[in-house]
Amino acid sequence: MSQKKLNPNTSLNGIQPPEVTDKPKSPQVEVECLKQHMVALGDEVNKMPDPAIDKSGPIDYRALGESLRIFPDEEIVKPQVCLSIQQDDRTDTWATLGNFSLIIGKTKSRKTFAVSIAVAAALRRDLTLGRFMSSFDEDKRNVLYFDTEQGRYHALKVVKRICRLAEQPSPTNLFVYPLRSLSTQQRLGFIRWHIYNTDNVGLVVIDGIRDTIVDINDNAEATERTDDLMRWSAELGVHIITVLHMNKGNDHARGTIGTELQNKAESIITIVVDPNDKSLSVVTAEDTRERKFEPFAFSIDETGLPYLVDGAITAASIPSRAKKPTVDTMKPQDVAAIVRRAFSNDEYLRYAQLRTNIVEASEFIGIPLAKSRSEEFIRRVETLGYINKLRAPSHRYDVYKVNLQNLPL
């Protein structure tokens, strides 16, 4: 039997096989060369990382169901309130343990100042600025603060401000990390690790939740990050405050991530600059699961600390809840932009896919439409002749097609 020669062009991970020349070699020499080559390949294989193996095994849904089931005779135990707003003779809940809240506002609306007051209250575990009340237990005394947007210099200024508000020069239970220099995945991993590996955590702040995802309008990423917040807060019994920008053109939270967070947050707090007095920032409970606290305003003194301004709020100061957008209230170019994006990858769309695309496209341009609103949108743009319903060739069902010539410019 003739011995098979090695291919001189074959290599693996940069390891070249034994050199093949025209000069014949003895079988002993050729075998020795082959041994050396295999040893080199073995060394390279040993350096490779172990494959990721899921060792968790299948989920026992029966056991999981037993742990999750609610029985009618259970005693109702309210979640522990950890942050609240006190005004005159009333106290209203902002945050409870096991949940997360969302602060939204436009750029330079002083969102971080509002967060600073809340963190100072958590450190004091007492009333701060006569308005913010904290009630964390001793085993929930630690505060984690992740700043994804600012560098070390500006993050340190925030720390100094918090310490002055808390009247504690160097609190040992405050852990602040500026994550601007990290990649998106590194930020997410860093936050997750510290939440699960820091003892006695009660409050977590993620100032810049947007920087833990790659695409602000990606449905999968938005759902995954929202799931993270719900899971982390529930499993560890902490409260997580997240901060997100509003769109420049309207008062909606940015992107699909904003829509998802608003749907699941315990409280949605808006911070806006008073249109009548730019030195004031107005704090409003946009949506809460409990009774909403009354809006209040704060300003910044000459030393850089926030202070409350009583009696400064007028009807014009409070942001009015924007009316639900419709085709007739939206700008024509926005309607056209939604329709064009919905059909950007397909000539024909069935109804369910069109509805999904409309929701995604509306979130992309910053005018999010809920499912029911997207259905109204479809009916209206069909009436206007922007889209047509028809039975296309090779389709068993009715589909929709865009009329580009009818769309507003």
Side-chain angles (χ1 to χ4, degrees), residues 203-223:
L203 179 65
V204 177
V205 176
I206 305 177
D207 193 345
I209 188 68
R210 183 265 175 272
D211 296 312
T212 64
I213 60 175
V214 176
D215 184 351
I216 198 170
N217 288 302
D218 184 271
N219 290 318
E221 279 194 295
T223 301

Side-chain angles (χ1 to χ4, degrees), residues 201-271:
V201 175
L203 179 65
V204 177
V205 176
I206 305 177
D207 193 345
I209 188 68
R210 183 265 175 272
D211 296 312
T212 64
I213 60 175
V214 176
D215 184 351
I216 198 170
N217 288 302
D218 184 271
N219 290 318
E221 279 194 295
T223 301
E224 181 179 351
R225 199 61 61 248
T226 305
D227 286 348
D228 285 339
L229 296 175
M230 292 192 294
R231 183 175 61 258
W232 298 343
S233 57
E235 288 183 354
L236 299 177
V238 302
H239 188 84
I240 303 176
I241 296 177
T242 60
V243 183
L244 185 67
H245 289 295
M246 286 179 176
N247 290 314
K248 292 183 179 180
N250 54 54
D251 293 336
H252 298 294
R254 289 188 62 198
T256 305
I257 180 65
T259 302
E260 283 297 310
L261 293 177
Q262 288 183 113
N263 288 339
K264 302 297 173 59
E266 175 184 33
S267 301
I268 304 169
I269 312 299
T270 61
I271 315 291

